[in-house]
């Protein structure tokens, strides 16, 4: 069999037989919504919702979502809504997703995750605003220009680009890019690194969009108690720039 034929066979074997979308609304003490199931391969399936949870990202605690244990008949051309409700009043301020796991036709299980959301921080606990940087850093043989640090109500972002004096192909995608050795920007606060958020967080908010040529790495928000802040660009723990100090206003 040709390599192209092998790739097609592997892709078909890995194709999801069903799709699960998670729709929900936030309330002060709870989340109410529904898992929306639909067949994805043109065939009907028997599906069991095995588990669901509110999960902190990129890692951390999980809060189970109560589910009724029953078999569901999922058609390829019809949405099946499975309602849910879960309390969130005890969750710490953080970023979360709602994950679900379904078993299809008594065989393989598949995992799905909804859009990221936050349990908000107190406004008084965080630093806000935009800090212009406009200084270069070097990672290995490549140069980049750190443009600014954006401090929001639930995130801190480094916006950067390839050094204008370098060739376009030397630019590397931000965290989650498709090329090998992607460069990411981390924020160092009082000697520790803020947690980086997964790449899909950038898709959740219009304010995370960047101009052509710009890249963005998104971390957890910067607390008002921070005293020393620096930015590093890195490929790995062994290949990273020197810290670029960012004066706080």
């Amino acid at each position: 069999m040709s390599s192209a034929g092998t790739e097609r066979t592997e892709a078909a074997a890995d194709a999801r037989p069903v799709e699960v979308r998670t729709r929900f609304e936030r309330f002060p003490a709870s989340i109410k919504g529904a898992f929306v199931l639909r067949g994805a391969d043109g065939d009907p399936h028997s599906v069991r919702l095995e588990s669901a949870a509110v999960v902190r990202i990129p890692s951390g605690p999980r809060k189970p979502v109560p589910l009724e244990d029953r078999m569901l008949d999922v058609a390829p051309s019809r949405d099946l809504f499975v309602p849910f409700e879960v309390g969130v009043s005890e969750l710490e301020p953080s970023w979360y997703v709602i994950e679900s796991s379904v078993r299809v036709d008594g065989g393989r299980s598949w995992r799905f995750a909804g859009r990221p959301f936050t349990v908000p921080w107190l406004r008084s606990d965080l630093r806000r605003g935009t800090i212009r940087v406009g200084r270069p850093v070097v990672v290995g043989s490549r140069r980049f220009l750190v443009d600014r640090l954006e401090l929001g109500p639930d995130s801190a972002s480094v916006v950067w680009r390839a050094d204008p004096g370098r060739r376009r192909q030397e630019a590397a995608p931000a965290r989650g890019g498709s090329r090998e050795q992607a460069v990411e920007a981390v924020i160092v606060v009082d000697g520790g690194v803020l947690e980086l958020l997964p790449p899909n967080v950038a898709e959740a908010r219009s304010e995370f969009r960047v101009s052509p040529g710009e890249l963005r790495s998104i971390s957890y928000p910067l607390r008002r108690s921070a005293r020393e802040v620096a930015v590093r660009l890195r490929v790995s723990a062994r290949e990273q720039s020197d810290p670029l100090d960012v004066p706080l206003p």
Side-chain angles (χ1 to χ4, degrees):
M1 182 182 294
S2 69
S3 61
T6 301
E7 290 174 1
R8 285 195 294 269
T9 301
E10 291 176 350
D14 199 48
R16 295 175 184 243
V18 300
E19 289 295 333
V20 179
R21 290 169 290 144
T22 307
R23 297 179 179 176
F24 62 88
E25 290 187 43
R26 284 284 316 279
F27 295 91
S30 66
I31 293 176
K32 297 180 181 180
F35 299 110
V36 185
L37 289 74
R38 175 184 282 244
D41 60 359
D43 296 323
H45 294 282
S46 294
V47 174
R48 185 183 300 279
L49 264 170
E50 290 189 305
S51 64
V54 180
V55 182
R56 184 185 183 276
I57 56 174
S59 63
R62 306 169 61 91
K63 179 179 174 59
V65 175
L67 295 173
E68 182 181 352
D69 185 14
R70 62 189 177 97
M71 195 67 71
L72 304 167
D73 294 324
V74 177
S77 59
R78 185 178 306 163
D79 288 339
L80 176 65
F81 290 77
V82 180
F84 68 85
E85 182 175 355
V86 59
V88 295
S89 59
E90 76 282 11
L91 294 181
E92 294 293 326
S94 201
W95 281 85
Y96 297 90
V97 295
I98 299 175
E99 290 186 351
S100 59
S101 175
V102 299
R103 185 176 295 275
V104 180
D105 298 328
R108 178 175 173 179
S109 294
W110 305 82
R111 302 190 70 86
F112 298 86
R115 70 179 188 273
F117 66 94
T118 62
V119 172
W121 286 259
L122 291 175
R123 184 183 180 91
S124 59
D125 287 347
L126 304 178
R127 289 181 178 268
R128 303 280 297 275
T130 298
I131 302 174
R132 295 289 173 181
V133 181
R135 292 153 62 193
V137 296
V138 176
V139 183
S141 60
R142 292 177 285 181
R143 288 172 56 90
F144 300 92
L145 182 70
V146 178
D147 184 74
R148 61 192 182 274
L149 186 62
E150 295 182 359
L151 308 178
D154 50 25
S155 66
S157 295
V158 181
V159 180
W160 47 285
R161 64 174 68 237
D163 186 282
R166 295 285 171 166
R167 292 178 299 172
R168 183 179 179 86
Q169 58 264 37
E170 289 188 343
R175 181 178 173 88
S178 59
R179 299 181 189 175
E180 293 183 358
Q181 297 220 325
V183 177
E184 60 188 9
V186 297
I187 303 171
V188 183
V189 180
D190 298 331
V193 176
L194 289 182
E195 283 183 282
L196 274 170
L197 287 162
N200 64 332
V201 167
E203 303 167 6
R205 304 278 182 82
S206 60
E207 61 263 32
F208 290 150
R209 295 173 185 162
V210 292
S211 301
E214 291 185 334
L215 300 165
R216 179 187 295 272
S217 292
I218 306 172
S219 300
Y220 267 76
L222 183 65
R223 293 195 173 272
R224 191 170 293 278
S225 58
R227 292 293 175 262
E228 296 181 352
V229 175
V231 171
R232 282 184 185 269
L233 268 67
R234 69 186 186 189
V235 173
S236 66
R238 294 184 177 181
E239 189 176 4
Q240 55 187 347
S241 71
D242 291 332
L244 182 64
D245 292 334
V246 179
L248 295 173

